[in-house]
Amino acid sequence: MNPTRAIPGLALALALAAPAQAAPSAQAERETEQLIQALAGSGCKFERNGSWYDANEAQAHLRKKLAYLRKRDLADTAELFIERAASESSLSGKPYHVRCGGGAATPAAAWLRARLVQLRNAKPPSPATPPSP
C-alpha cells in the first residue's frame, strides 16, 4: 500500500473519531459567572493548598482556571466548572474549602453546588409592566 494514499484516510478517520466540542451555552456562561460573583461578593475566605485567601483573590484564581479550561473546551457547563476548576488544586489535588464568618470550612465544591441550586431555583425578575395607553 502506498503510504501517501493512507495519510488522507487516516486524517479523516482521526477527525471523525475526535468528539466535537461546543462552546458553552449562554446559560452556562451566565451561571458560571454568577457563581464566581457569588463567591467574590460573599465575604467568605477561600482555602487552597493550606492557605486562606479573601473572596476577591479566590475569584481571580478561579477565573484563571476557567479561562484555561475554556481554551480547551473543558468547562461548557457550570457543573464542569465546579468539578474541574473550583473543587481542588490541579497541582496538589487537595480540595478547596470555603469558610464564611465564624462557621466551619465547607468543601468549595459543595458550597458552589449549593449556590448553583439557589441560582437555578430563583425566580427570574418579572418584566416591567408596560405603560397603560
Side-chain angles (χ1 to χ4, degrees):
M1 180 174 178
N2 184 344
T4 56
R5 296 178 104 199
I7 291 173
L10 178 60
L12 177 61
L14 289 173
L16 293 175
Q21 296 291 331
S25 68
Q27 177 181 345
E29 292 269 0
R30 185 175 53 255
E31 288 176 344
T32 303
E33 180 59 28
Q34 288 174 322
L35 287 173
I36 292 172
Q37 287 179 5
L39 178 60
S42 71
C44 299
K45 298 289 185 184
F46 187 82
E47 186 257 342
R48 62 182 171 95
N49 294 321
S51 297
W52 288 94
Y53 299 88
D54 69 24
N56 284 328
E57 291 171 306
Q59 67 93 23
H61 175 72
L62 293 180
R63 284 187 192 285
K64 287 179 189 175
K65 289 185 77 173
L66 176 61
Y68 175 87
L69 291 174
R70 288 262 167 89
K71 285 181 185 177
R72 290 154 182 79
D73 293 323
L74 295 173
D76 57 346
T77 67
E79 289 85 358
L80 286 174
F81 161 71
I82 293 169
E83 177 187 329
R84 295 177 176 168
S87 294
E88 64 183 32
S89 169
S90 52
L91 296 176
S92 70
K94 292 180 181 178
Y96 294 151
H97 292 93
V98 175
R99 183 177 63 215
C100 300
T106 303
W111 192 92
L112 289 163
R113 284 187 194 110
R115 293 308 165 280
L116 183 58
V117 168
Q118 289 175 346
L119 290 170
R120 289 178 174 169
N121 288 336
K123 291 183 180 180
S126 59
T129 307
S132 301

